[in-house]
Amino acid sequence: MIKHDSLGPEKLIEVYDQKTKMKGFLVIDNTWLGVAKGGIRMTPMVTQEEVFHLARRMTYKNALSDLPFGGGKSGILISAKNISVEKKGELIRAFSKAVKELCPSIYIAGPDVNTGEKEMAEFVKANGDLSSATGKPEEMKGLPHELGSTGFGVVQAILEAVSFMNRDIKSMSAAVAGFGNVGSSVAGLLEKEGAKIVAISDSGGTIYNPSGLVVQEVVNAKKENGSVVKSKNGQQLKNEEIFTLPVDILVPAALGGVITDKNANDVKAKIIAEGANLPVRPDAELVLNRKGVLIIPDIIANAGGVISSYAEHKGFDEDHMFKLVESKIKTNVKKILEKSKEEDITTREAAIKIAHQRLESARK
Ligand code: NAD
């Protein structure tokens, strides 16, 4: 059930196109800070309620990154996960035409699960306005998410937390769960910063070496043989074992809900940076907070993607975009950590409080 509250949702839209049988949802949650921004997901089970919850996360995420964007999200139902590129294009074009009246005036689209630069190109062509979506290919003046802005932002958040704890990244070890767009850039960039990457997982399992893995070697093993576990330089573990290894930094960057009340007691990391959306369940968070684990909440840790969207919207180049991701994430992570310490509240509570304050002060 979708409950309206002081923030929204402002608009709940359901669209259907008879010709292509496209069924989709657009939720505009809140526009006090600006035009609603959020991606389009294409999945077989997407519901209006799911899209609403994601739109609300975008309201918080955009406010926390101090962007002049509100929160919105879209979902298009597809029959199976692996539909043809042609069918995907047809559905995206139909959805784009169906929401054209609101886009880009109060909603700007972007990539999400099962959509990327190709789909954004189709969306924009059907809309007729280049500013109707971000995450477009470079030839359309886009900054595709494939550049790795989200993973880069996760690493900036970790560096800020490490400095807040008066630690040195060069003396710290890390485990990265998930080795896709986000996880692979996090692992590579943390290694560059001098951290020791001791474990990496994907859907095939975990590869673990307490003396340190070489990320490029793991990239090659995955490319050649399909999974990180094919790397010859480590010991193979089950994928859930990565969450309880003796490491300083843990980055869940694959699925949500992976740290639960069942494994939270065994987590040994000092910092958890949420690369994925909501990987730490609320019951697990209580346990981790009691243990003094510093959690960098997803609504700031993985905001690099939407900051990149803002940079694209403003016409900035790649270099300018990465600088903006770094400054926005570091500044706001610092604010969250200081507020959490000063008010003796959790980092997630501090993050939500800051987002609410910014939203309230923008209220017309
Ligand atoms: P992706 O599809 O590129 O990669 C997902 C990775 O997770 C793959 O390596 C896959 O093998 C791995 N995986 C799947 N099941 C697993 C399991 N049981 N154990 C370990 N690994 C498993 O996805 P992505 O774009 O990297 O996104 C990762 C997460 O981050 C998602 O939750 C996504 O919603 C979130 N996120 C992504 C972005 C972005 O810009 N890409 C932005 C914000 C949030």
Side-chain angles (χ1 to χ4, degrees):
M1 247 249 307
I2 299 174
K3 276 200 198 139
H4 285 86
D5 59 19
S6 62
L7 290 177
E10 292 175 11
K11 285 186 184 9
L12 294 164
I13 296 142
E14 189 174 320
V15 291
Y16 181 71
D17 175 56
Q18 294 89 334
K19 195 169 156 216
T20 56
K21 301 197 166 48
M22 177 280 300
K23 185 173 178 189
F25 308 101
L26 165 61
V27 175
I28 308 291
D29 181 45
N30 184 290
T31 55
W32 296 343
L33 286 165
V35 49
K37 182 80 190 80
I40 306 175
R41 64 177 45 192
M42 295 181 87
T43 58
M45 306 288 280
V46 67
T47 62
Q48 190 175 57
E49 186 168 350
E50 177 189 345
V51 176
F52 159 65
H53 288 296
L54 294 161
R56 175 57 54 89
R57 297 198 76 65
M58 291 311 297
T59 299
Y60 287 139
K61 205 181 267 196
N62 292 333
L64 261 182
S65 297
D66 222 351
L67 296 172
F69 279 154
K73 200 86 181 185
S74 297
I76 303 174
L77 270 168
I78 51 174
S79 51
K81 225 176 160 197
N82 299 315
I83 59 166
S84 69
V85 177
E86 291 74 31
K87 183 68 193 168
K88 234 178 171 180
E90 191 177 85
L91 295 176
I92 276 277
R93 287 193 296 275
F95 182 74
S96 175
K97 286 181 186 151
V99 299
K100 191 169 162 22
E101 255 179 59
L102 302 171
C103 188
S105 55
I106 65 161
Y107 172 69
I108 299 174
D112 193 64
V113 177
N114 266 325
T115 61
E117 53 181 301
K118 269 198 202 115
E119 287 70 36
M120 292 310 108
E122 293 294 334
F123 184 94
V124 162
K125 276 188 225 153
N127 176 288
D129 186 334
L130 257 189
S131 62
S132 60
T134 60
K136 300 182 293 286
E138 287 182 72
E139 59 274 18
M140 291 179 93
K141 298 193 176 141
L143 291 169
H145 279 195
E146 287 80 351
L147 288 172
S149 52
T150 303
F152 175 79
V154 173
V155 172
Q156 304 316 303
I158 293 170
L159 293 175
E160 193 58 41
V162 166
S163 137
F164 188 82
M165 291 168 89
N166 289 318
R167 294 276 315 258
D168 178 4
I169 188 77
K170 294 189 175 58
S171 68
M172 297 177 92
S173 60
V176 182
F179 206 54
N181 179 312
V182 180
S184 60
S185 43
V186 168
L189 293 169
L190 275 181
E191 182 184 54
K192 251 194 202 157
E193 292 292 338
K196 186 163 70 173
I197 311 299
V198 297
I200 293 176
S201 70
D202 64 11
S203 51
T206 299
I207 189 83
Y208 175 51
N209 184 341
S211 308
L213 297 160
V214 175
V215 175
Q216 188 55 49
E217 196 275 325
V218 180
V219 170
N220 297 343
K222 186 168 170 87
K223 212 182 269 168
E224 282 155 28
N225 299 303
S227 172
V228 297
V229 297
K230 301 292 179 188
S231 161
K232 302 233 171 352
N233 294 325
Q235 173 194 352
Q236 191 176 331
L237 305 174
K238 290 185 191 148
N239 46 32
E240 64 272 20
E241 287 182 81
I242 196 165
F243 302 114
T244 52
L245 291 172
V247 294
D248 298 302
I249 302 163
L250 175 61
V251 186
L255 310 174
V258 287
I259 303 180
T260 67
D261 59 347
K262 306 268 181 312
N263 60 4
N265 257 318
D266 298 321
V267 167
K268 294 168 193 77
K270 315 282 181 304
I271 296 176
I272 296 180
E274 294 188 321
N277 290 320
L278 281 179
V280 178
R281 294 176 66 105
D283 42 6
E285 191 162 348
L286 293 175
V287 177
L288 295 169
N289 283 325
R290 268 200 303 271
K291 283 166 61 129
V293 179
L294 190 158
I295 300 172
I296 313 172
D298 56 353
I299 41 180
I300 187 67
N302 69 25
V306 77
I307 300 171
S308 165
S309 294
Y310 172 70
E312 177 175 337
H313 185 64
K314 297 292 285 180
F316 298 161
D317 65 12
E318 196 180 317
D319 193 41
H320 192 162
M321 177 273 282
F322 279 115
K323 286 199 175 97
L324 195 68
V325 172
E326 175 173 358
S327 71
K328 283 205 171 283
I329 296 231
K330 283 189 164 168
T331 307
N332 289 298
V333 165
K334 190 167 183 223
K335 285 196 169 127
I336 291 166
L337 298 181
E338 283 171 352
K339 193 172 186 67
S340 151
K341 195 173 173 185
E342 276 161 25
E343 299 184 18
D344 195 20
I345 53 178
T346 69
T347 48
R348 203 178 306 277
E349 285 163 347
I352 299 279
K353 254 186 151 177
I354 293 173
H356 269 284
Q357 279 160 359
R358 288 182 183 160
L359 284 158
E360 282 302 329
S361 61
R363 189 177 196 163
K364 286 153 199 136

